[in-house]
Amino acid sequence: NFANQFFQMIFSEILIFWYKKNKRELPWRNTKKPYFIWLSEIMLQQTRVTQGMSYYLKFTENYPTVSDLANASETEVLKMWQGLGYYSRARNIHFTAKYIAHELNGKFPSTFKEIITLKGIGDYTASAIASICFDEPTAVVDGNVYRVLARYFGIQTPINSSAGIKEFKELAQSLLDKTQPGTFNQAIMDFGALVCKPQNPLCDECPLSESCVALQKNLTKDLPVKEQKIKVKKRYFNYLVVVSNDDKTILTQRNDRGIWQGLYQFPLIETDKNINEKILISSTEFIDLFPDETSISLFNPKEIIHKLSHQHLHTHFWIVETASHKNAEIPWKTIQNFPVPVLIANFLVQFQLKK
């Protein structure tokens, strides 16, 4: 047991020593305010630091306090989030900001137990906030931590299995430097991001390389292990981009619980395969939308495939020109004000160039 404790101490000391010399200078590293740490942690889920940084700076500039964020409209928050993806994160931070501002008098909870009850906050984010802001000894386990631990200790348990989640959390907790938990947590995450990278890890520069199981057994590429992912679903989207004579169009808000909830889009006809113009205009959905005469043309002959984590959207944009339409109420010049999925934002750039 003594040997075990000694090893754990050495492991955390080596990582913290490495971190103090090599850590990334990031804007949220200069604060212990939970609001800023929370924002940065939510933004960096599923997102690289380089991409998340500009969003973090934009958010903290526009909403310097949790109350400022709470007072913004959901549409405004989604518009500011546009391009970061996984939009439920934006809806959740807005919901939680309102809860903290109105129910907790603007005071962020200070214990792991309380923080984890907030909407959109799981074990990882709660551990990060509790350890960094309040020195609570709770270990973080994110993709970087899974990778470092799986490789260093040669663990074959899949990281996305319930057994794996439990095993890695317990291991991370046992290695945590209880005297400086926030520093240790940031050290192991930065180490995974900068040295023990997914592809081409820098084993030659690694201060833990001499005792790394994956390096000794040539398993670096095989670890961590992930169970087979869900099958990717193919979907076929036909967006109908209305252009009326008075330069107006139709945008509707997606309110169903699926992807892009709360974002805006052009009228959509989803089909079970790619279709041609003849099939499109003879469909009941099209006829219901456009009972009057229209002129239709395909904007992108080559389908655009937009890849999400569990689905690939095979997309065509159809330009529908019409004299007028009762639902065409949005002037084209105001279209930039609406939060839209990146798929539509990219189309708008191309379309405005050709217009």
Side-chain angles (χ1 to χ4, degrees), residues 79 82-83 87 237-242 249-254 259-269 299-300 304-308 313-319 330 332 334-353:
K79 181 66 190 169
Q82 184 176 304
Y87 289 91
F237 279 15
N238 297 279
Y239 281 116
L240 306 171
V241 181
V242 174
T249 192
I250 302 174
L251 279 184
T252 54
Q253 195 172 22
R254 283 183 75 101
I259 54 167
W260 302 331
Q261 185 189 340
L263 299 185
Y264 285 78
Q265 65 179 17
F266 295 106
L268 170 66
I269 294 178
F299 182 79
N300 57 308
I304 296 160
I305 301 173
H306 187 70
K307 294 180 178 180
L308 300 167
L313 312 177
H314 297 247
T315 310
H316 282 112
F317 289 90
W318 301 86
I319 311 302
I330 292 164
W332 272 97
T334 67
I335 206 148
Q336 296 304 335
N337 304 337
F338 293 86
V340 295
V342 164
L343 175 62
I344 290 179
N346 291 343
F347 158 76
L348 286 171
V349 171
Q350 298 299 319
F351 184 62
Q352 302 284 26
L353 287 174

Side-chain angles (χ1 to χ4, degrees), residues 34-35 65-67 97-109:
Y35 171 63
T65 69
V66 75
S67 300
K98 288 194 286 191
Y99 176 76
I100 292 169
H102 305 143
E103 306 295 320
L104 306 179
N105 299 324
K107 196 168 165 30
F108 212 98

Side-chain angles (χ1 to χ4, degrees), residues 111-176:
T111 66
F112 173 85
K113 246 186 176 145
E114 294 169 293
I115 297 167
I116 202 166
T117 63
L118 299 171
K119 190 169 180 168
I121 293 185
D123 187 291
Y124 160 73
T125 307
S127 299
I129 298 167
S131 64
I132 295 166
C133 306
F134 306 107
D135 291 319
E136 192 176 332
T138 54
V140 295
V141 185
D142 74 341
N144 290 311
V145 177
Y146 278 126
R147 194 164 55 255
V148 172
L149 298 181
R151 284 175 176 169
Y152 184 75
F153 293 97
I155 302 169
Q156 304 272 356
T157 320
I159 59 174
N160 54 347
S161 65
S162 46
I165 291 165
K166 187 169 182 285
E167 183 180 346
F168 281 94
K169 178 73 179 181
E170 284 171 2
L171 177 58
Q173 193 64 35
S174 74
L175 296 165
L176 186 69

Side-chain angles (χ1 to χ4, degrees), residues 19-161:
Y19 176 69
K20 288 188 168 160
K21 282 185 13 189
N22 300 286
K23 70 175 183 178
R24 293 175 288 186
E25 290 304 325
L26 302 168
W28 49 87
R29 292 258 161 95
N30 309 322
T31 179
K32 280 200 156 196
K33 286 185 178 168
Y35 171 63
F36 296 120
I37 302 298
W38 167 57
L39 268 187
S40 71
E41 291 299 346
I42 298 293
M43 284 180 172
L44 295 183
Q45 289 168 18
Q46 318 279 2
T47 302
R48 291 188 310 281
V49 167
T50 45
Q51 193 196 3
M53 178 81 80
S54 60
Y55 285 87
Y56 173 83
L57 295 171
K58 198 163 61 169
F59 258 77
T60 49
E61 192 184 318
N62 283 277
Y63 313 124
T65 69
V66 75
S67 300
D68 293 316
L69 179 53
N71 292 332
S73 72
E74 185 176 276
T75 297
E76 198 185 311
V77 173
L78 285 170
K79 181 66 190 169
M80 206 163 287
W81 194 273
Q82 184 176 304
L84 255 188
Y86 298 95
Y87 289 91
S88 58
R89 295 182 296 171
R91 291 193 299 274
N92 287 340
I93 61 167
H94 190 228
F95 180 94
T96 293
K98 288 194 286 191
Y99 176 76
I100 292 169
H102 305 143
E103 306 295 320
L104 306 179
N105 299 324
K107 196 168 165 30
F108 212 98
S110 60
T111 66
F112 173 85
K113 246 186 176 145
E114 294 169 293
I115 297 167
I116 202 166
T117 63
L118 299 171
K119 190 169 180 168
I121 293 185
D123 187 291
Y124 160 73
T125 307
S127 299
I129 298 167
S131 64
I132 295 166
C133 306
F134 306 107
D135 291 319
E136 192 176 332
T138 54
V140 295
V141 185
D142 74 341
N144 290 311
V145 177
Y146 278 126
R147 194 164 55 255
V148 172
L149 298 181
R151 284 175 176 169
Y152 184 75
F153 293 97
I155 302 169
Q156 304 272 356
T157 320
I159 59 174
N160 54 347
S161 65

